[in-house]
Amino acid sequence: MRAQSGNAEITQLRVELAEEGVLLSASVRFDLPAVIEDALAKGIPMFFVTEAVLFRDRWYWYDRQIATAARHMRLSFQPLTRRWRLVVSTAPIGNSGGLGQNFDTREEALAAVQRVSRWKIAALSDLDPQLQHNVDFRFRLDVSQLPRPFQIGAVGQADWTISAVRNVPVPAESGR
């Protein structure tokens, strides 16, 4: 099953239970619109957010939110060194903070943005083995962290929308 909204597509999404906790792996595919590529080439960073929300099913009311996890990513091009830099953090990225990695090409940097591997979104103790759980996975370009002129220009523009959402059930806890 594939999910698509905006101009991004979730091509793979898997939730697994392991000793470390509830782990999520995902792949998101999207092409950067020309206006975003142009902004990146001029050294303006782009911010992406990956969010996962764990829910417990309830038949009598809305599902109960159990845990939330977020990854904030800042992708930037360094014109002087001609290298790409990706900073990943659990909180919105300001001028500092986060784990950084450099890449030689835009394709390598985007591949790192588009892939999540064995990301811990909750502890096993958060799950009730008697009930069904599911995860809402969201990926989006966060225009709220762009410089003000870009935020104003991005409002209502489809070229500045990169987003995808998908829900997946959590597998039963057999084998633990």
Side-chain angles (χ1 to χ4, degrees), residues 77-173:
F77 179 66
Q78 311 296 321
L80 292 176
T81 61
R82 311 280 310 153
R83 299 203 61 198
W84 292 84
R85 180 150 178 84
L86 177 64
V87 177
V88 179
S89 176
T90 57
I93 300 168
N95 292 330
S96 63
L99 177 64
Q101 188 174 1
N102 292 315
F103 298 93
D104 291 327
T105 66
R106 179 179 67 89
E107 290 74 22
E108 291 173 348
L110 276 177
V113 169
Q114 296 172 337
R115 185 181 56 250
V116 176
S117 182
R118 296 182 55 84
W119 172 35
K120 182 180 176 182
I121 60 171
L124 283 178
S125 61
D126 293 338
L127 299 178
D128 182 337
Q130 306 301 317
L131 299 173
Q132 176 63 40
H133 299 81
N134 60 69
V135 173
D136 274 352
F137 175 75
R138 296 181 186 98
F139 177 87
R140 65 184 168 85
L141 173 67
D142 187 2
V143 294
S144 70
Q145 293 190 54
L146 293 174
R148 283 279 184 234
F150 285 92
Q151 288 181 26
I152 294 166
V155 173
Q157 298 292 324
D159 286 349
W160 288 93
T161 303
I162 297 175
S163 66
V165 178
R166 187 161 156 197
N167 182 282
V168 64
V170 174
E173 291 190 68

Side-chain angles (χ1 to χ4, degrees), residues 21-62:
V22 181
L23 306 178
L24 183 139
S25 298
S27 293
V28 180
R29 185 175 60 217
F30 61 89
D31 294 322
L32 289 177
V35 293
I36 293 176
E37 282 190 25
D38 186 45
L40 279 166
K42 292 177 180 172
I44 297 164
M46 291 296 137
F47 298 85
F48 297 92
V49 179
T50 302
E51 300 168 315
V53 182
L54 177 66
F55 289 99
R56 177 179 299 142
D57 287 349
R58 295 195 294 195
W59 64 271
Y60 58 90
W61 197 250
Y62 294 111

